[in-house]
Amino acid sequence: MHELSLCNSIHTIVDRAAGGRPVATVHLQIGRFRQVVPDTLSYCWSMVSADSSLAGSQLAIEHIAVRLHCSACGAETSPAGDLVLVCGTCGSGDVSMLTGEEFMITSLDLKET
Ligand SMILES: [Zn+2]
């Protein structure tokens, strides 16, 4: 499962960053192109974090829209569908993705002690 391996990666990074301090919320930026299902990600997170110092923490997910740059006409557009990567202006498939592939941990909220 895609989400489970992502959660294992998040856990490794957050565990190191938190250094044993209690974490309330993990803030993430995830590009739409990654096709992550938020409910599935949250569920996997509760499993991955259950037996660790991060048990009880929540994920807060900010989705980043897909933006494409067209090499044919120079337009910058958002695709009509997440997986239809063609220029919205001229229909060319010669596009590069500006945003939409993000997978970043942006910040941690620590629990009040
Ligand atoms: Zn174009």
Side-chain angles (χ1 to χ4, degrees), residues 96-107:
S96 52
M97 201 177 299
L98 299 172
T99 62
E101 291 185 296
E102 292 81 0
F103 189 83
M104 273 173 36
I105 297 163
T106 52
S107 63

Side-chain angles (χ1 to χ4, degrees), residues 70 72-73 75 87 89-90 92:
C70 176
C73 76
C87 173
T89 299
C90 73
S92 167

Side-chain angles (χ1 to χ4, degrees), residues 23-24 45-46 49-50 52-58 111:
V23 173
W45 178 250
S46 65
S49 62
S52 76
S53 60
L54 299 173
S57 60
Q58 304 288 320
K111 277 182 191 152

